[in-house]
Amino acid sequence: MKRKNTTAAPSQLSEQLAATGFRFTQQRQRVYDVLLQKRDHPTAEEVFLRAKRAMPDISMATVYNCLDALVQAGLAQQVKVERGAARFCPNMHEHWHFHCNECGGVFDMEMPDGGCASFPLPKGFKIDQFEIAAHGVCPACGTRRKK
């Protein structure tokens, strides 16, 4: 998948937040930048630890509130790929996730041509949200297994 910028312009973030009833804050900017910088689908705790490096006064509650606002504003999505903590993904394009059972990594995977519309549904059904998480072994872990 194509990589996007690793930080969001404050004006773009502010506009998207305002369009959904939220105001721009430095904390929301920092949390969003954390999501963009390393697209590894971090948990809220991982976002907190990364955000704290540049913003030592940020609290865990603030991170949860920021993540909630970003999800509600359509800037990130909450991803559940296992029984553990929810993870967060700033990729808002239609895609699915691959979870490596060995290293715990979560990877974005492109949808086939046609997107979720290519999945046959019985008459009368309509997809509002699409979530697929496959579980297996990533290439790096597969290589280590062979050695």
Side-chain angles (χ1 to χ4, degrees):
M1 287 193 122
K2 294 178 184 173
R3 294 283 177 183
K4 292 184 179 177
N5 293 335
T6 58
T7 59
S11 61
Q12 292 173 319
L13 180 61
S14 181
E15 287 173 20
Q16 183 71 22
L17 287 167
T20 51
F22 293 96
R23 66 183 176 83
F24 173 86
T25 66
Q26 291 300 317
Q27 291 84 356
R28 287 179 180 149
Q29 176 75 56
R30 184 70 210 130
V31 167
Y32 190 52
D33 286 347
V34 165
L35 293 178
L36 293 175
Q37 286 169 357
K38 187 176 179 187
R39 295 183 174 221
D40 60 346
H41 304 81
T43 64
E45 184 175 350
E46 291 167 333
V47 171
F48 168 69
L49 294 172
R50 294 173 192 176
K52 200 160 184 63
R53 290 181 198 141
M55 193 174 270
D57 293 339
I58 198 166
S59 70
M60 188 68 189
T62 298
V63 168
Y64 274 116
N65 291 333
C66 291
L67 288 168
D68 184 54
L70 293 172
V71 168
Q72 289 186 48
L75 292 160
Q77 58 181 305
Q78 189 172 343
V79 177
K80 292 286 278 181
V81 293
E82 56 189 13
R83 290 183 185 205
R87 295 169 173 266
F88 295 87
C89 176
N91 180 354
M92 297 308 290
H93 297 287
E94 195 173 70
H95 67 286
W96 58 281
H97 295 99
F98 184 93
H99 176 253
C100 179
N101 293 326
E102 300 222 358
C103 68
V106 179
F107 306 90
D108 287 348
M109 298 289 155
E110 290 187 34
M111 291 292 291
D113 290 340
C116 68
S118 65
F119 288 87
L121 291 173
K123 186 175 181 171
F125 285 81
K126 179 183 173 263
I127 296 174
D128 288 326
Q129 184 178 346
F130 191 82
E131 295 177 30
I132 290 181
H135 298 262
V137 180
C138 71
C141 291
T143 301
R144 282 193 294 268
R145 262 189 185 178
K146 292 176 185 177
K147 291 181 180 181

